[in-house]
Amino acid sequence: MGKGVFIGIDVGSVSTNIVVLDDNQNLLSKEYIRTQGRPIEAIKKGFDAVSRFTKDNPVLSVGTTGSGRKLAAAMIGADVVKNEITAHAVGALKHDKDVRTVIEIGGQDSKIIVLNDSIVTDFAMNSVCAAGTGSFLDQQAARLGICIEDFGRIALESTTELRIAGRCSVFAESDMIHKQQLGNNIADILAGLCTSLARNYLNNVGKGKDIKSPIMFQGGVAANPGIVAAFEKELEQKILIPTHFDVMGAFGSAHLACIHRPVKSQFLGVEAIDDDFTTTSFNCNDCGNNCEVVNLKRNGIIVGSWGDKCQKYLQPLKQEKISS
């Protein structure tokens, strides 16, 4: 039996990421699972992938984050549940304690985090328009018939800077099609898109923010060298790309689990992940908020509820620990 592990889970709309740390906070494993609209299945698949590390090691603490953090917490019995801003900031600081600005662009949203003396002093998120997010870039790569992995490399081959309307995903796609019809080559179009998306991010998400160096870029889009080059050109400085840029939310969540390690973890055990989980929802009309409340059932029994602003349906997680 090992000394134990810490687990961090980031459940997003595009990916579900799981990170396992050893008792010295060294990364043992990271998993990037496509959520595909089925977060319960993605969480199960992720735990199956890291089972070799939890089989002979007690789970000391678990943290969850992301839009599905409450779902994951109710499924597995989490000890720490934090929003994405906190998790990504902690992940960035674990990579570089001096970082001042974090640019994070994921599959469906983007955010900026400003830190001063390792404390979050400002942040902003853009979850309304998909322009510049990973899913939009995936769509454009598929439409052009290129692999998303080749997107950035091809963009860097550009010799002519084109201007693409990047403020809105609909306008951006229309402008790209127009440029194709005019005969512009793909490399120049992709480079123009990278530049316009970087400008759009800085003019909207980063508007009014005090962007200072060191700047860290994380999230799946950080794998695109074309976007990285566009940000460096607009900001006129180098940008740090952390080693685990694609799972920084889960990475930070695992470290939060370590920082806030309880005397006894609420983790329900690996076997509990195999239970039958279903969700139901209803509209509460008890007041003018008309909240949409979600119930999570484990083997037919409600084990978690969320979505109500007054938290009247909040279920205490009185779940039996199956194993450690």
Side-chain angles (χ1 to χ4, degrees):
M1 183 68 73
K3 293 182 178 179
V5 295
F6 299 96
I7 298 176
I9 306 171
D10 181 2
V11 184
S13 55
V14 172
S15 69
T16 294
N17 308 320
I18 297 185
V19 162
V20 180
L21 304 178
D22 67 15
D23 62 319
N24 288 319
Q25 303 182 41
N26 299 309
L27 190 142
L28 295 175
S29 177
K30 66 175 186 179
E31 298 293 335
Y32 181 99
I33 309 291
R34 290 279 183 178
T35 305
Q36 297 181 317
R38 299 176 180 274
I40 292 175
E41 286 75 10
I43 293 168
K44 288 188 173 189
K45 188 181 295 184
F47 262 88
D48 184 57
V50 302
S51 61
R52 64 189 185 281
F53 297 103
T54 57
K55 183 179 180 181
D56 298 321
N57 282 291
V59 176
L60 304 175
S61 182
V62 180
T64 65
T65 189
S67 56
R69 58 186 180 274
K70 294 180 179 178
L71 171 68
M75 281 182 64
I76 63 177
D79 302 293
V80 182
V81 183
K82 294 290 185 181
N83 60 51
E84 298 99 310
I85 298 297
T86 302
H88 278 278
V90 170
L93 288 167
K94 286 297 177 182
H95 183 81
D96 186 338
K97 61 180 178 57
D98 297 321
V99 66
R100 296 292 304 276
T101 307
V102 176
I103 295 172
E104 199 279 336
I105 304 180
Q108 289 284 0
D109 62 20
S110 54
K111 57 184 76 71
I112 186 169
I113 305 170
V114 179
L115 302 107
N116 191 10
D117 294 331
S118 301
I119 296 173
V120 176
T121 56
D122 198 3
F123 69 91
M125 295 183 67
N126 176 24
S127 58
V128 177
C129 181
T133 62
S135 59
F136 176 69
L137 296 176
D138 278 344
Q139 291 170 10
Q140 297 312 309
R143 189 180 63 78
L144 295 170
I146 63 175
C147 296
I148 187 63
E149 291 79 8
D150 295 331
F151 188 114
R153 178 185 58 77
I154 296 173
L156 293 179
E157 295 174 355
S158 170
T159 56
T160 303
E161 184 173 330
L162 297 180
R163 294 191 69 86
I164 302 290
R167 188 171 181 80
C168 164
S169 60
V170 176
F171 292 158
E173 181 171 332
S174 298
D175 208 15
M176 290 174 67
I177 292 172
H178 177 63
K179 292 292 192 298
Q180 285 179 268
Q181 291 171 330
L182 291 177
N184 296 110
N185 69 51
I186 296 298
D188 292 339
I189 293 173
L190 293 181
L193 180 63
C194 291
T195 300
S196 66
L197 296 183
R199 287 175 179 165
N200 181 48
Y201 174 94
L202 295 172
N203 291 331
N204 289 280
V205 184
K207 184 178 182 181
K209 303 302 177 190
D210 189 13
I211 299 176
K212 291 184 177 178
S213 183
I215 301 171
M216 189 174 291
F217 187 12
Q218 51 198 48
V221 177
N224 186 321
I227 297 289
V228 175
F231 270 113
E232 290 183 337
K233 183 178 179 181
E234 293 299 315
L235 294 169
E236 298 181 337
Q237 57 185 300
K238 294 291 292 183
I239 292 176
L240 303 172
I241 310 294
T243 307
H244 310 299
F245 65 88
D246 53 340
V247 295
M248 289 297 276
F251 184 67
S253 187
H255 279 284
L256 282 166
C258 180
I259 293 169
H260 300 286
R261 176 186 175 183
V263 176
K264 183 179 181 181
S265 174
Q266 298 186 64
F267 183 60
L268 298 170
V270 176
E271 293 82 355
I273 309 299
D274 295 328
D275 286 345
D276 178 47
F277 292 97
T278 57
T279 57
T280 60
S281 61
F282 66 94
N283 292 322
C284 176
N285 299 316
D286 289 354
C287 74
N289 288 324
N290 297 319
C291 296
E292 296 176 352
V293 183
V294 177
N295 288 328
L296 174 69
K297 294 182 179 179
R298 179 195 299 276
N299 300 329
I301 301 173
I302 296 176
V303 295
S305 299
W306 53 88
D308 50 326
K309 294 181 180 177
C310 66
Q311 298 190 338
K312 65 189 292 183
Y313 298 101
L314 182 66
Q315 294 284 326
L317 298 180
K318 296 178 179 178
Q319 302 183 60
E320 181 180 358
K321 190 170 184 176
I322 297 175
S323 71
S324 59

